[in-house]
Amino acid sequence: MASLWRLGVLCGAQGGRALFVRIPVVRPAQVSAFLQDQPAPGWCRTQHIHLSPNHYSGSKAASLHWTGERVVSVLLLGLIPAAYLNPGSAMDYSLAAALTLHSHWGLGQVVTDYVQGDALQKAVKAGVLALSALTFAGLCYFNYHDVGICKAVAMLWKL
Amino acid sequence: MAALLLRNVGRHCLRAHLSPRLCIRNWSLPMAMSICHRGTGMALSAGVSLFGLSALLIPGNFESHLELVKSLCLGPSLIYTAKFALVFPLMYHTWNGIRHLVWDLGKGLKIPQLYQSGVAVLVLTVLTSAGLAAM
């Protein structure tokens, strides 16, 4: 899937009309629709992936998901030094939430890339959801009943 | 000779329904780093999940588990190695993650820049891992 994205990027600026959208995760069905709709005049050795308004399939869910993933990544990036400088209960719960969400979405991408077939993919995704939910529950339990993530790391490192 | 060998390897890969890309002779740095980003991500995920699940399932609090490890009287070099092993995948994933976010902004996508940023990530990973493990 990442290779599709790079194809579009490498093909550079061709035609001002093309609305250039980078979608790291594109399902096979959507890709074939895009490629059929756009006859590329002046073929470069790679193909465009276009998204012009009249061919837009309607749902913004994938785009929002992509943006959400980046937002959580940046959030997590900021939380790590913040947790070091300002440990505490609020930081523990924020870390737990950001960590599990980031890993949940990351595992989701892995499943999307490697698990073929609709039914199997749904089943594995359900499994990932269960795992993420249990992980979050476990981390919250740890934060509440035990020392909490920040303190735990500090204690572990003092070993 | 080498070509013959590679042809057989390739045939084996395809027969075993493995991705032929695994049998490519010329791995590139960006390709290897991308796989490592995924690998470290999955490993870190597994670690976090293991930690969360063990908090729910294993009796005893964190302090008691730490006491258990302390009672093993492990040498300082072993402890340093263990800390390094823990923090290395985290640092790699973090720095390469920043590299990914820069790409998402549309910057640094030229091929030479890919290699430069890749090397920078690797150097930063080693340095920060060594530094954090020493803390």
Side-chain angles (χ1 to χ4, degrees), chain A residues 100-101 103-105 107-108 111 121-137, chain B residues 49:
Chain A
T100 36
L101 192 53
S103 103
H104 175 71
W105 280 343
L107 288 173
V111 169
Q121 199 172 92
K122 273 208 180 114
V124 177
K125 283 242 169 106
V128 169
L129 183 60
L131 180 66
S132 299
L134 279 173
T135 304
F136 185 60
Chain B
S49 288

Side-chain angles (χ1 to χ4, degrees), chain A residues 70 103 113-114 135 138 146 157, chain B residues 38 45 49 62 83 104 132:
Chain A
R70 316 298 127 159
S103 103
D113 277 353
Y114 298 139
T135 304
D146 213 325
W157 230 246
Chain B
R38 191 154 258 194
S45 243
S49 288
F62 188 68
K83 286 183 181 175
D104 289 336
L132 283 176

Side-chain angles (χ1 to χ4, degrees), chain A residues 20-33:
Chain A
F20 213 18
V21 178
R22 281 171 295 226
I23 306 176
V25 177
V26 181
R27 295 191 181 272
Q30 287 174 333
V31 170
S32 50

